[in-house]
Amino acid sequence: MNYLIGIDIGTSATKTVLFDENCQVIASAAQEYDLYQPQNGWAEQNPADWADAVESTIKTVVEKAGVAKEDIKGIGLSGQMHGLVMLDADNSIIRPSIIWCDQRTAKECAEITEKVGAKRLIEITANPALTGFTASKILWVRNNEPENYKKCRHILLPKDYIRFCMTGDYATEVSDASGMQLLDVPKRNWSKEVLEKLDIDMALLPKVYESPEVTGTISEAFAQKTGLSTKTVVVGGAGDNAAAAVGTGIVVEGKAFTTIGTSGVVFAHTDNVKIDPKGRVHTFCCAVPGCWHVMGVTQAAGLSLKWFRDTLAEDYKQQAQKDNIDAYDLMNKAVEKVPLGSRKLLYLPYLMGERTPHLDPDCRGVFFGLSAIHTKADMIRAVMEGVSYSLKDCNSILQEMGVKVNEMMACGGGGKSPVWRQMLADMYGCAVKTIAAQEGPALGVAILAGVGAGIFNSVPEACERFIQTDKICQTNTENHAYYEKGHKLYKKLYIQLKECYQDLTQL
Ligand SMILES: Nc1ncnc2c1ncn2[C@@H]1O[C@H](COP(=O)(O)OP(=O)(O)O)[C@@H](O)[C@H]1O
Ligand SMILES: O=C(CO)[C@@H](O)[C@H](O)COP(=O)(O)O
């Protein structure tokens, strides 16, 4: 039997899964790490924490599975997108990674737009300049930490730094590279024009592959540390959303998914490059060679619930520990008892600014309508509803762009919650399904590894064979009508507060 490993370097944790050649889970392991917020709106992680988590979870799955290392034919890497990892001439990490949800680079976005030109930037990179993307983070380091920029010899994305640790290769692939804002997204290669206009040396960047292509093999040193074989190939892999698309079978037009991870994403596959002229959703290359996708992003989706759990729901955490269950499951149970609309309490999930639809690094979270009758359970439901309204914003833009969505899947940590999935089905006005396999991005990149290792013929063919629909939430029409009204008020709140957010930044 052949085996494959999928690794997902998420924002909350690294999840490593060993599959057999029928995509059945043989062993899995996860390791969490911290997110640092040195200032309001900043977000950083330590690449050494990712490397440590990857090393120890690989060791665990290889030991647990007890399979011969030579039978592990391929490894796929998936990870949080956009994070900036800078290495010096000795391949040492220069500074902590500035990650996807960091909002410090508004000035650098203006600089990019001015230097490349707004129209040209969208023509080449398929997106307007955004604080989340890597290019503005590179410029921020150059503008604010010139001594660090001077030392930099290699620029890598989070999962590609891990690839370097595993194989010694400097490589990336088209789906993740799309989120750097340095790639010619229609042509699927680095843009000489953008790099020259921004004065970034192309030699700093890794080689670009398609997602299922082999980029290298496991190094002797990494094999020694983990119990892997030096014959095991590592494929390009994908950014976490493109990887989740493969893992949920979203590899043909008409299919879409909503993921509730730390961020929230509504993602639809497209056979051609489709761009929102207002730049509210991202257009990136996808993991299927020759195809693209569009996706709207809610910055603080699962992050909102995690923030609430860690900051305001210590009692839930303690009770869960006592009952030996997950605190999120306890929160889900409490939410099921709260009526629709959280007893007239609304939550705006802008804890880390917002991308879709506002593209606003200054906005922040709000509870609106708070009254003395409200309980903690009401607030938790409001958080889930607020995140879902934001995902509805993302979905509405895809509809507005004429992107076909005949089937909607749910995945990510929040996708495990039946009450949250029902909320999405009620808000979207369409059925929301889950996939029998829960491994999302890890399964997606294991499939890519299977294609690279020659075990599967193509990504769509493997998805057709292995991805099966599981549970379905149908829309409740009464609930849909209520949420349509709620969504109008939700949207109005941002418009009313827009100026106040700027005042808050200035304060
Ligand atoms: N059982 C659950 N019910 C609701 N939400 C959950 C549950 N489990 C996890 N979550 C949410 O999912 C988030 C983590 O999702 P995950 O996909 O693992 O994130 P990431 O890939 O960003 O590390 C948590 O922050 C939490 O908000
Ligand atoms: O910035 C984006 C997509 O553009 C995020 O989706 C990151 O890729 C982080 O993902 P999670 O940790 O939430 O999975």
Side-chain angles (χ1 to χ4, degrees):
M1 180 76 103
N2 294 313
Y3 298 90
L4 299 163
I5 292 180
I7 303 172
D8 177 27
I9 301 124
T11 313
S12 62
T14 283
K15 299 135 217 161
T16 298
V17 188
L18 191 144
F19 300 89
D20 69 16
E21 64 189 15
N22 298 315
C23 291
Q24 296 300 309
V25 177
I26 303 299
S28 69
Q31 185 167 310
E32 293 192 8
Y33 29 70
D34 291 326
L35 169 71
Y36 302 99
Q37 299 190 67
Q39 289 191 35
N40 191 344
W42 290 26
E44 298 186 347
Q45 283 190 314
N46 184 355
D49 291 346
W50 305 327
D52 183 53
V54 168
E55 216 179 283
S56 83
T57 52
I58 291 180
K59 243 164 91 179
T60 305
V61 296
V62 171
E63 273 167 28
K64 264 198 209 168
V67 299
K69 62 183 181 183
E70 293 74 22
D71 293 340
I72 303 172
K73 299 296 184 200
I75 297 184
L77 294 169
S78 148
Q80 50 170 297
M81 301 179 69
H82 316 298
L84 171 65
V85 182
M86 289 178 140
L87 303 184
D88 67 13
D90 299 325
N91 293 314
S92 300
I93 299 157
I94 294 174
R95 72 175 319 290
S97 174
I98 304 176
I99 71 161
W100 59 275
C101 50
D102 189 286
Q103 295 294 343
R104 76 184 74 173
T105 62
K107 261 196 204 143
E108 284 71 23
C109 287
E111 184 183 338
I112 292 171
T113 310
E114 199 224 304
K115 286 185 169 158
V116 183
K119 189 163 163 270
R120 212 48 206 129
L121 188 67
I122 292 180
E123 274 166 8
I124 300 170
T125 71
N127 295 284
L130 290 183
T131 48
F133 293 176
T134 324
S136 67
K137 301 180 197 305
I138 298 172
L139 265 52
W140 186 90
V141 174
R142 187 165 72 192
N143 292 341
N144 295 277
E145 298 175 351
E147 67 294 351
N148 279 339
Y149 192 77
K150 228 165 124 192
K151 282 192 266 178
C152 179
R153 294 293 174 276
H154 301 280
I155 289 175
L156 294 169
L157 290 164
K159 77 163 193 324
D160 299 321
Y161 171 65
I162 296 303
R163 180 194 321 281
F164 169 74
C165 298
M166 293 169 78
T167 66
D169 299 311
Y170 306 106
T172 189
E173 49 64 49
V174 290
S175 71
D176 222 4
S178 298
M180 292 185 82
Q181 197 134 50
L182 301 173
L183 194 85
D184 186 323
V185 169
K187 294 194 182 129
R188 304 171 89 89
N189 222 327
W190 297 127
S191 163
K192 215 167 149 241
E193 180 179 336
V194 172
L195 288 165
E196 276 174 11
K197 284 181 172 168
L198 298 181
D199 194 22
I200 296 173
D201 184 357
M202 200 187 285
L204 294 173
L205 300 177
K207 184 171 172 197
V208 189
Y209 290 81
E210 285 292 333
S211 298
E213 276 186 284
V214 173
T215 62
T217 49
I218 298 298
S219 68
E220 187 64 53
F222 197 77
Q224 293 270 329
K225 281 193 234 170
T226 52
L228 287 170
S229 153
T230 53
K231 293 206 174 68
T232 303
V233 302
V234 177
V235 296
D240 55 0
N241 296 294
V246 177
T248 46
I250 312 303
V251 292
V252 289
E253 273 204 349
K255 290 196 172 202
F257 73 77
T258 298
T259 183
I260 303 175
T262 304
S263 63
V265 168
V266 183
F267 176 117
H269 177 99
T270 61
D271 288 339
N272 304 303
V273 185
K274 285 208 171 92
I275 297 173
D276 172 31
K278 295 185 190 149
R280 295 162 300 174
V281 294
H282 313 334
T283 300
F284 292 155
C285 300
C286 83
V288 183
C291 297
W292 287 264
H293 68 263
V294 282
M295 66 183 206
V297 179
T298 295
Q299 290 269 98
L303 191 149
S304 287
L305 194 65
K306 184 175 188 301
W307 162 77
F308 195 93
R309 184 197 67 178
D310 295 345
T311 315
L312 298 165
E314 189 53 39
D315 48 344
Y316 278 78
K317 278 170 93 172
Q318 281 172 8
Q319 186 62 44
Q321 208 170 17
K322 233 164 92 193
D323 299 349
N324 199 20
I325 57 168
D326 189 314
Y328 290 123
D329 289 335
L330 210 58
M331 291 163 96
N332 284 324
K333 280 207 185 99
V335 163
E336 276 165 20
K337 295 190 192 120
V338 177
L340 221 65
S342 313
R343 300 201 280 173
K344 299 198 178 171
L345 180 62
L346 279 115
Y347 169 75
L348 308 190
Y350 308 140
L351 300 184
M352 302 297 291
E354 192 53 297
R355 288 202 219 162
T356 309
H358 308 307
L359 308 178
D360 183 350
D362 289 325
C363 60
R364 289 293 180 270
V366 171
F367 276 108
F368 174 75
L370 203 53
S371 124
I373 63 154
H374 286 125
T375 62
K376 203 170 276 187
D378 296 337
M379 294 174 83
I380 300 170
R381 182 165 184 119
V383 167
M384 286 184 171
E385 288 183 334
V387 169
S388 306
Y389 280 134
S390 172
L391 293 165
K392 183 175 164 67
D393 280 340
C394 298
N395 194 25
S396 305
I397 295 169
L398 300 192
Q399 313 290 314
E400 198 186 303
M401 289 169 70
V403 173
K404 262 192 283 163
V405 176
N406 306 326
E407 198 173 16
M408 178 66 77
M409 303 293 171
C411 59
K416 288 188 279 188
S417 157
V419 66
W420 215 337
R421 292 200 303 270
Q422 186 60 49
M423 244 174 233
L424 292 175
D426 290 343
M427 287 201 188
Y428 291 170
C430 74
V432 171
K433 305 178 187 176
T434 56
I435 296 301
Q438 297 258 316
E439 285 69 27
L443 173 57
V445 287
I447 289 176
L448 295 174
V451 175
I455 297 170
F456 310 137
N457 290 327
S458 75
V459 181
E461 193 187 297
C463 289
E464 183 68 36
R465 256 177 82 193
F466 299 118
I467 309 290
Q468 271 146 25
T469 307
D470 187 21
K471 300 187 184 70
I472 304 183
C473 291
Q474 299 290 354
T475 305
N476 173 316
T477 46
E478 258 176 49
N479 294 356
H480 180 61
Y482 175 87
Y483 280 137
E484 286 290 291
K485 284 194 274 175
H487 190 220
K488 274 199 189 120
L489 179 55
Y490 167 88
K491 287 201 290 191
K492 202 167 160 187
L493 286 172
Y494 173 80
I495 297 165
Q496 299 287 330
L497 286 172
K498 193 171 164 47
E499 234 182 85
C500 300
Y501 285 132
Q502 280 156 18
D503 294 344
L504 184 68
T505 304
Q506 301 302 326
L507 201 64

